[in-house]
């Protein structure tokens, strides 16, 4: 099993990964700032709407945002999330691919294969994020009606699972690296 990011020239991978991580972090900061007024409302930020799961609950959240005058933030965040999804997916997937390559150089094929699987999981997460965003867009711009809150909930669960798989793989690899300086090559030969 391979991931498309493995086919990038190794000499360009590191710069591309750093650039996409920087872009993802910057956009995450912007999204967090925009979400602040939504979190201050009675029903919380965008995540409660993502996992509302029913038209009634989604309606409560949207009504609260309308009453607080922050519904525009919710719609703008949803629009920006269409840009954010491929950025975070590339950042996480790139990290997983890089860690998998390090494991592969060390002869640890199973750990490398787990990294590629995690890269695919977070790539799929971006697709589920798009589905979720369509549901949220309909909920915000039209009316919270079935099946959109339910679709957003299912997509959000799948998205969070894919992100968690990649994050867990990366954190585990970093933990092993810190625990044993011999576990993963540091990029130096010898």
């Amino acid at each position: 099993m391979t991931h498309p990011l493995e086919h990038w020239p190794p000499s360009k991978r590191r710069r591309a990964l750093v650039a996409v991580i920087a872009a993802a972090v910057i956009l995450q900061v912007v999204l967090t700032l925009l979400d602040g007024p939504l979190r201050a409302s009675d029903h919380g930020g965008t995540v409660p709407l993502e996992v509302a799961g029913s038209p009634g609950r989604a309606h409560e959240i949207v009504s609260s945002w309308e009453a607080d005058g922050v519904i525009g933030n919710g719609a703008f965040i949803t629009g920006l999330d269409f840009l954010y999804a491929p950025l975070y997916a590339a950042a996480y997937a790139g990290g997983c691919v890089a860690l998998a390559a390090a494991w592969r150089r060390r002869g640890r094929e199973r750990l490398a294969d787990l990294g590629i699987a995690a890269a695919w999981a977070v790539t799929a997460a971006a697709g589920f994020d798009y589905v979720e965003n369509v549901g949220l867009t309909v909920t915000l711009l039209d009316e919270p009606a079935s099946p959109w809150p339910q679709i957003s909930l299912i997509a959000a669960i799948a998205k969070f699972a894919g992100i968690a798989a990649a994050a867990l793989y990366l954190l585990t690899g970093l933990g092993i690296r810190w625990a044993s300086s011999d576990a993963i090559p540091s990029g130096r030969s010898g």
Side-chain angles (χ1 to χ4, degrees):
M1 169 173 40
T2 64
H3 191 275
L5 293 180
E6 290 180 281
H7 302 293
W8 280 37
S11 62
K12 295 182 182 182
R13 259 190 241 165
R14 182 173 295 198
R15 276 188 295 236
L17 182 56
V18 168
V20 78
I21 289 171
V25 168
I26 290 168
L27 193 49
Q28 178 60 60
V29 168
V30 170
L31 289 168
T32 300
L33 291 173
L34 289 169
D35 199 47
L38 299 176
R39 287 191 312 274
S41 74
D42 291 340
H43 293 285
T46 53
V47 173
L49 184 61
E50 292 171 0
V51 299
S54 72
R57 178 73 179 127
H59 182 71
E60 288 175 21
I61 295 167
V62 171
S63 294
S64 172
W65 291 355
E66 287 173 339
D68 292 343
V70 295
I71 191 81
N73 284 45
F76 192 66
I77 288 169
T78 301
L80 278 181
D81 201 36
F82 281 101
L83 298 174
Y84 182 58
L87 286 176
Y88 75 70
Y92 276 109
C96 289
V97 165
L99 184 56
W103 284 122
R104 193 163 280 122
R105 285 190 304 271
R106 190 78 174 148
R108 305 293 298 266
E109 286 301 318
R110 285 188 180 166
L111 289 172
D113 289 345
L114 281 174
I116 301 307
W120 276 112
V122 77
T123 301
F128 285 113
D129 203 347
Y130 274 31
V131 172
E132 172 194 300
N133 288 338
V134 169
L136 294 176
T137 299
V138 171
T139 296
L140 287 166
L141 300 179
D142 187 16
E143 185 170 321
S146 285
W148 299 108
Q150 295 91 333
I151 289 171
S152 292
L153 171 63
I154 293 166
I157 291 169
K159 171 190 75 174
F160 290 132
I163 293 169
L168 182 61
Y169 179 77
L170 290 170
L171 290 173
T172 302
L174 291 173
I176 292 170
R177 172 71 173 112
W178 287 327
S180 169
S181 62
D182 196 37
I184 300 174
S186 62
R188 296 181 304 258
S189 58

